[in-house]
Amino acid sequence: MAKTLALRDALNEAMSEEMRRDETVFLMGEEVAEYNGAYKVSKGMLDEFGPKRVIDTPIAELGFAGIGVGAAMNGLRPIVEFMTWNFAVLAFDQIVNNAAKTLSQSAGQFKCPIVFRGPSGSAGQLAQQHSQTFESWMANVPGLKVISCVDPADAKGLLKSAIRDNDPVCMMESEMLYGYEGEVPEEEYLIPIGKARVHREGYDITLVTFNKMLLPTLEAAKALEGEGISAEVIDLRTIRPLDHATIVESVKKTNRLVVIDESWPFAGVSAEIAYEIQKYAFDYLDAPVTRVNAADTSLPYAPTLVEAYLPNADKIVKAAKEVLYINA
């Protein structure tokens, strides 16, 4: 059995179920309690779990991230919500220098089972300082696991797995898609971290993406189908560990690959995937791997420039035709 849930409600269910199951799990962050969360992800949780387990913090990301790391090292399982990963930059010392390195620095004596979560990527006209994409930033750090998805069922199952994981996990969501709805199983389930999902089977070309770029990618696949082109769509769901095996198997079938990544092109997730495929599936490629990224500049404010900056279905279709050597 399944029910229809918005992304925010699926995340809420994941946290609530895990807090009912394990009393060491708690939530902390700005406005998560009295205000029910900046995006209403934690709606009703203060009423159920009380102020000792759903904790409003000051506007001090470095401080409350540090409290979370200390709590995790001492037997608790904190969920630290950032209003946006853009604000988490202030907490990078705790995430990168402490949480990610606790296990190795202590020679395995201390674990750090903590989840840092919040929206990443653009959110409309929020301009440069509130529209950055952080998956590749965090995935570059050994010791951190990185989840990035918007499908409600995937998000719920992966967040539950993240909360139970003994390593620090960064969960990237989408501010624009907290209201995005999907079918979510009613029974309890977990989704393993590190496994991509084939959203759509195809045989002419592989389209790989993650987070909210899944939607324009599926739109592009439908448009390509109308022209007789069968596109396979893979949602990474997890950035680190990266499920390159699923991509390799798809490329062996389709012989062509386009990677759609909302972040900047230099040293990003799409660049890593391009490297992996040329290493493990070079002999199967009938065309160079092509990437569709955001423009290599800070996001402008003007709506026309936002449209020009971000990947969209038309850009994905154009890239697919180039890889297929079809004149657009």
Side-chain angles (χ1 to χ4, degrees):
M1 297 291 291
K3 56 187 174 184
T4 301
L5 287 180
L7 175 60
R8 62 167 55 89
D9 299 321
L11 294 168
N12 181 294
E13 277 199 357
M15 293 189 292
S16 297
E17 288 176 11
E18 292 305 301
M19 288 174 70
R20 294 182 195 118
R21 188 188 69 87
D22 183 350
E23 64 181 12
T24 68
V25 180
F26 70 95
L27 172 66
M28 64 190 304
E30 296 160 0
E31 300 184 350
V32 299
E34 295 290 345
Y35 192 65
N36 285 313
Y39 313 104
K40 306 309 176 197
V41 174
S42 55
K43 184 177 181 180
M45 292 180 65
L46 174 63
D47 293 337
E48 178 174 356
F49 299 105
K52 289 187 177 181
R53 297 186 67 195
V54 182
I55 305 166
D56 278 331
T57 66
I59 304 175
E61 285 79 7
L62 178 62
F64 65 76
I67 291 171
V69 171
M73 292 174 65
N74 284 276
L76 301 180
R77 291 184 176 271
I79 306 166
V80 175
E81 177 178 309
F82 297 118
M83 196 174 293
T84 163
W85 273 92
N86 293 275
F87 301 163
V89 170
L90 297 162
F92 273 17
D93 182 49
Q94 291 296 334
I95 301 169
V96 172
N97 283 331
N98 290 330
K101 297 174 175 61
T102 293
L103 186 67
S104 59
Q105 285 189 140
S106 69
Q109 295 179 82
F110 286 97
K111 297 182 176 67
C112 192
I114 186 171
V115 176
F116 301 101
R117 47 157 297 269
S120 175
S122 66
Q125 290 179 262
L126 295 185
Q128 301 182 23
Q129 295 178 343
H130 295 72
S131 303
Q132 299 168 102
T133 303
F134 287 91
E135 282 82 353
S136 63
W137 296 42
M138 297 293 93
N140 188 250
V141 182
L144 295 179
K145 296 178 179 177
V146 180
I147 296 167
S148 183
C149 65
V150 294
D151 178 87
D154 290 344
K156 179 180 178 180
L158 282 163
L159 180 53
K160 286 171 68 71
S161 293
I163 294 168
R164 299 187 191 189
D165 201 289
N166 286 326
D167 293 318
V169 180
C170 299
M171 180 97 178
M172 310 292 185
E173 300 153 11
S174 171
E175 187 173 337
M176 297 180 73
L177 293 182
Y178 277 124
Y180 177 62
E181 295 184 340
E183 293 295 304
V184 177
E186 292 187 359
E187 67 275 9
E188 184 181 40
Y189 67 99
L190 299 172
I191 293 177
I193 297 171
K195 183 64 179 174
R197 174 184 173 186
V198 179
H199 259 267
R200 179 188 177 113
E201 299 277 352
Y203 53 82
D204 289 326
I205 188 170
T206 300
L207 306 177
V208 174
T209 191
F210 59 95
N211 206 280
K212 69 171 175 287
M213 288 297 106
L214 175 64
L215 273 61
T217 301
L218 290 171
E219 182 183 347
K222 186 175 181 180
L224 289 167
E225 183 181 33
E227 299 187 39
I229 300 167
S230 174
E232 183 148 297
V233 176
I234 297 175
D235 180 3
L236 292 174
R237 302 194 299 191
T238 302
I239 307 304
R240 186 157 184 170
L242 182 67
D243 181 10
H244 71 266
T246 293
I247 308 171
V248 167
E249 288 306 308
S250 179
V251 170
K252 285 181 178 180
K253 176 175 60 174
T254 67
N255 309 116
R256 292 172 171 83
L257 174 63
V258 175
V259 187
I260 302 93
D261 177 359
E262 186 186 343
S263 66
W264 300 308
F266 188 83
V269 176
S270 62
E272 175 66 21
I273 293 171
Y275 165 77
E276 294 278 350
I277 295 305
Q278 67 81 30
K279 180 177 181 181
Y280 294 108
F282 180 82
D283 290 338
Y284 294 89
L285 288 171
D286 288 340
V289 176
T290 295
R291 302 184 294 159
V292 181
N293 287 88
D296 195 14
T297 185
S298 296
L299 182 69
Y301 176 76
T304 51
L305 295 178
V306 171
E307 183 179 359
Y309 173 93
L310 291 171
N312 58 35
D314 289 340
K315 294 176 184 178
I316 299 167
V317 168
K318 182 175 183 293
K321 289 182 176 180
E322 288 175 357
V323 169
L324 288 159
Y325 301 116
I326 297 172
N327 293 325

